Amino acid sequence: MRFVKGLWKVLVGIKDALVLLLLLLFFGGLYAALSATPHAGGPTDGALVLRLDGPIVEQPAEVDPWLALGGSSLPREYRVADLVHALDTAATDDRIRAVVLDLDLFAGGRQVALGDVAAAIDRARAGGKRVLAYATGYSDDTYQLASHADEIWLSPMGAVLFTGPGGTNLYYAELLERLGITANVYRVGAFKSAVEPFIRSDMSPEARQASQALANALWEQWRQEVGRARPRAQIDPYVADPTGAVMRHNGDMAHTAREMGLVDRIGDRATFNARVAELVGRGHEAVPNSFRAVQYRSFLERNPLARQGNVGILTIAGEISDGETGTGQAGAATIVRTLEQGMRDHDLKALVVRIDSPGGSATGSERIRQALLNVKRQGIPVVVSFGSVAASGGYWIGAAGDRIFAEPSTITGSIGVFGVLPSFEGTLRNIGVGVDGVRTTPLSGEPDLLRGPSDEADRLLQLGVEGMYRRFLTLVSQARNLPVQRVHEIGQGRVWDGGTARQLGLVDQFGSLEDAVNEAARRANLAEGQAHAVHFVPQTDWFERYFGHLAQGFAAPAAAEPDPFARLRARPEALIARAINDAHSLLRGPAIQARCLECPPSFEAVPSAGAASLWRSLLERAATR
């Protein structure tokens, strides 16, 4: 009888597993169907409508399939290369008679990316296409695109507001002190300010100097671009005294914008649509004030980017890490695999590397750099194109290029290395947790995040940072043909704008991605018309992504990082996790998390349900002290 019951349980388990598998396959197929590109339909002539309801980025982030299936509202991102290709195609397409920039929900983008799209708008206008922009409100990013249009329309309820680069940061030194947390900092150079939020309550003079210079340079580049695109706009008087300007026009912000040449016309969307209809023809008769619209997605599907070519474009966008990642992040393993796949799939004569990254893992950056050097060893020229940001690890990778292109508003440099390890001796003392143990070597249990790193561990970690910095200086020195001492003078973690970086020798010349492609073709001795660019795209199928997310919920802890100093964290982190889980039994409560979103992550929250509750309790205690 016991055997029969056991067999029955096995059969029920198999049945449940099969049902679960079928459900997963069903939802996986549903996700694949929803993710598939819809069949291109709708009008093929009229106005190309770019309804930009999200940010413009170099590489859109991969959509989490679980969020997509759950019906979550997901932000739409627009790839620079796709927008530029669509505009350039429209410029020579006789069926497209105008371009509409619908910027009402535009989420902006970085200056260089917007500049690339703006240049494509100029080419569309040069091809005889009328370009019209509409929005309820224009900010810096929105206006950078709109200024290149023939007609800028503004809602009667709208306004134009320019703020310029700049803003405030958060600093946590006092909070960490209250919590009993010590930020053990290891760095080289006066300007590596990424660690300042953890050790100061305000900005250091060195960081302020560098940040102000960068903000001024970016603002000047914006003013120059917008001024060239729309010389009649009274930008400087409006920015200097926006309140006075509005008051002089009876408090009407829309009227102020028109009188100061910032916009051409004021009107609601129906009036705007009627204007577009005058240029391209009426839309559906049942829809009043509609015009004949060619939707961007359909147009791009009918006119896709090239899938074959002899000049490869490898995009490295986002924070650099060591392993596999989706698009929108720069996992070294994924980048190298994408490069190797692209080399196999195409008869490659030259390679262009587009970098839009603030850096990240030094070991990941080096792995990508070595992969690029392997390409060069095959006799293939490698040209680097810096996007909006190519700093720290991003510059580390760029040093592999035969020639580096950048834009005046590119943020680059930041040649420096730092590390931050938190230790919790004060925290544990505050909550009554004692720490003790034994050692067999000077590094047993180090770095000790419970009692604080020992002097020996401190020295070793600082030496590691200094050694990594010397390696950084050496590879830049060799790549840029500069003395090591000179690289140190312009390094030390300082960030530069593209114009200054060119003067310092960190980049070779100004130019767009297209300019970099042309230079790569020239170095490969390709005659005019023989160069055909192709973008390398990471290849991951929906099944792998879908079940990969599922597996993450049941997977064992991630493998150790290749960074030897990162491996030292393993045992202390495990002890912290145990301490937090133990404390959680005494300190229960709702979970919150506070995190600096702007700064590079310096340490990870402990992955346990009790962690957030413990931090909440500690924050509450600190607030009452």
Side-chain angles (χ1 to χ4, degrees), residues 419-443:
V420 180
L421 285 176
S423 57
F424 301 88
E425 57 271 31
T427 306
L428 298 178
R429 183 171 57 250
N430 290 341
I431 62 176
V433 177
V435 179
D436 205 353
V438 298
R439 298 173 181 265
T440 54
T441 73
L443 291 181

Side-chain angles (χ1 to χ4, degrees), residues 199-368:
I199 59 176
R200 295 180 61 95
S201 296
D202 60 358
M203 184 178 287
S204 69
E206 295 83 4
R208 185 178 302 278
Q209 173 192 355
S211 297
Q212 189 65 59
L214 178 62
N216 291 345
L218 294 176
W219 177 240
E220 181 60 25
Q221 291 300 326
W222 185 91
R223 289 176 59 252
Q224 289 182 11
E225 179 185 335
V226 171
R228 287 192 299 267
R230 193 172 179 84
R232 62 183 176 277
Q234 301 176 45
I235 300 291
D236 291 341
Y238 183 69
V239 169
D241 186 18
T243 303
V246 173
M247 291 178 64
R248 286 192 296 272
H249 295 90
N250 300 318
D252 188 327
M253 291 187 176
H255 184 66
T256 301
R258 184 179 62 187
E259 292 303 308
M260 299 196 73
L262 303 177
V263 303
D264 297 298
R265 301 193 187 187
I266 299 173
D268 58 21
R269 189 170 288 276
T271 307
F272 173 76
N273 290 349
R275 167 60 180 153
V276 179
E278 293 178 2
L279 300 173
V280 303
R282 291 280 305 277
H284 198 285
E285 294 183 358
V287 182
N289 298 315
S290 65
F291 59 87
R292 193 160 182 81
V294 179
Q295 299 302 324
Y296 166 69
R297 297 289 174 184
S298 297
F299 184 77
L300 194 61
E301 184 186 354
R302 287 192 293 265
N303 302 278
L305 281 165
R307 293 186 174 89
Q308 290 294 325
N310 52 13
V311 179
I313 300 177
L314 176 70
T315 300
I316 301 172
E319 186 171 337
I320 299 167
S321 59
D322 292 292
E324 294 277 355
T325 60
T327 56
Q329 296 176 302
T334 301
I335 296 295
V336 172
R337 176 170 52 79
T338 300
L339 173 61
E340 293 172 347
Q341 185 66 46
M343 297 283 291
R344 289 193 295 268
D345 291 346
H346 305 279
D347 183 17
L348 211 64
K349 305 300 181 184
L351 177 68
V352 174
V353 183
R354 178 69 165 184
I355 300 176
D356 188 56
S357 171
S361 166
T363 52
S365 301
E366 177 63 9
R367 180 177 179 183
I368 298 172

Side-chain angles (χ1 to χ4, degrees), residues 458-475:
D458 269 335
R459 287 193 295 270
L460 185 64
L461 289 166
Q462 182 62 36
L463 287 172
V465 168
E466 292 173 1
M468 191 68 73
Y469 180 62
R470 285 194 299 272
R471 179 177 177 81
F472 203 166
L473 295 180
T474 300
L475 72 88

Side-chain angles (χ1 to χ4, degrees), residues 8 33 57 80 88 116 163 220-221 232 315 350 362-363 416 467 531 540 620:
W8 178 253
V57 298
V80 176
D88 285 340
D116 289 345
T163 59
E220 181 60 25
Q221 291 300 326
R232 62 183 176 277
T315 300
T363 52
T540 56
E620 290 173 346

